[in-house]
């Protein structure tokens, strides 16, 4: 676990942030640790300057390359589901994007691993991790359809882009009793699913949590950007 060093980052108005937290509570986010971490994390540094003034709205925002920084409610909900599985040591995120979700997780679990297929996004995210002095995030350029075998097994896996069906590799890289939080489907909206490995068996149980809207999980690294 890590705490953010806010020196030199510049705080936007506390009132604006508090409004976001109240909205998350109204929408049913209950986990106080998750709310506290969202409250102190500067979401504006994960956006281009032109959009930074909208950082504390409860809305998804563009980060370039047709990708989006997820809506705070969705980040909160997925994080809450993941951390309610118990104390988590190692978590893998597929789809680093801006690095915001990884930053939230890094303050709640021991180690975060995250992969991204678009190099310029990864580069910027890594700069943000450095700036925030988050030493427990390991990020790499890779196709997350295969998970990240090198550091497996993971107590939790979170996917922030939607596949048509759950990639087998992700299930194989779950530790005993590990949980996977993943949007699944190809339509305009997808089902957010919670999958749990049953002990150290190769069996899993699954539930649909709610409808969500994510960018698609694409295979291979992005070229010619
Ligand atoms: N978690 C991010 C959300 C980014 S949107 C944040 O907090 O900002 C989803 C990201 O998933 C995009 O950046 C997209 O490029 C990435 N992505 C899509 N398919 C992928 C794949 N197969 N492997 C790794 N990243 C992928």
């Amino acid at each position: 676990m890590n705490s953010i060093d806010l020196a030199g980052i510049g705080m936007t108005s506390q009132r604006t942030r508090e409004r976001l937290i109240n909205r998350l509570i109204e929408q049913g986010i209950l986990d106080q640790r998750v709310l506290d971490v969202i409250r102190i994390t500067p979401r504006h540094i994960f956006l281009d300057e032109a959009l930074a003034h909208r950082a504390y709205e409860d809305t998804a925002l563009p980060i370039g390359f047709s990708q989006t920084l997820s809506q705070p409610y969705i980040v909160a909900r997925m994080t809450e589901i993941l951390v309610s599985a118990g104390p988590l040591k190692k978590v893998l995120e597929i789809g680093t994007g801006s690095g915001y979700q990884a930053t939230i997780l890094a303050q709640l679990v021991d180690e975060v691993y995250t992969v991204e297929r678009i190099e310029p996004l990864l580069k910027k995210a890594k700069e943000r991790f450095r700036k925030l002095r988050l030493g427990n995030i390991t990020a790499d350029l890779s196709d997350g359809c295969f998970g990240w075998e090198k550091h497996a097994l993971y107590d939790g896996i979170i996917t922030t882009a939607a596949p048509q069906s759950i990639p087998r590799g992700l299930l194989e890289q779950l530790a005993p009793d590990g949980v996977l939080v993943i949007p699944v489907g190809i339509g305009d909206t997808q089902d957010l699913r919670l999958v749990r490995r049953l002990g150290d068996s190769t069996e899993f149980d699954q539930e649909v949590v709610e409808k969500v809207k994510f960018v698609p999980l694409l295979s291979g690294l992005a070229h010619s950007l």
Side-chain angles (χ1 to χ4, degrees), residues 67-69 93 95-98 101 116-118 143-144 160 218:
Q67 304 305 320
T68 51
L69 169 45
E93 178 198 27
T96 316
S98 68
Q101 172 76 72
E116 172 56 57
R117 65 184 286 280
I118 300 178
D143 177 359
T160 64
L218 301 173

Side-chain angles (χ1 to χ4, degrees), residues 154-174:
Y154 303 98
D155 305 308
I157 301 180
I158 183 169
T159 304
T160 64
Q164 276 184 41
S165 59
I166 298 178
R168 198 185 172 74
L170 299 187
L171 297 175
E172 288 169 356
Q173 291 174 23
L174 276 182

Side-chain angles (χ1 to χ4, degrees), residues 70-180:
S70 311
Q71 179 192 359
Y73 166 71
I74 292 296
V75 173
R77 188 83 178 100
M78 289 174 83
T79 307
E80 182 173 71
I81 294 169
L82 202 68
V83 300
S84 69
L88 304 174
K89 281 203 167 120
K90 258 195 206 180
V91 171
L92 171 66
E93 178 198 27
I94 312 295
T96 316
S98 68
Y100 179 73
Q101 172 76 72
T103 296
I104 298 295
L105 285 170
Q107 298 169 80
L108 295 163
V109 308
D110 291 351
E111 293 164 49
V112 177
Y113 295 87
T114 179
V115 289
E116 172 56 57
R117 65 184 286 280
I118 300 178
E119 191 165 21
L121 288 180
L122 180 75
K123 196 166 163 254
K124 276 199 204 167
K126 281 182 155 182
E127 279 163 21
R128 293 171 180 134
F129 302 149
R130 256 196 305 275
K131 193 166 170 187
L132 294 168
R133 297 187 218 281
L134 291 167
N136 61 340
I137 303 179
T138 310
D140 206 0
L141 186 69
S142 176
D143 177 359
C145 294
F146 303 101
W148 195 356
E149 194 155 18
K150 187 174 166 195
H151 302 286
L153 302 169
Y154 303 98
D155 305 308
I157 301 180
I158 183 169
T159 304
T160 64
Q164 276 184 41
S165 59
I166 298 178
R168 198 185 172 74
L170 299 187
L171 297 175
E172 288 169 356
Q173 291 174 23
L174 276 182
D177 294 313
V179 289
L180 166 65

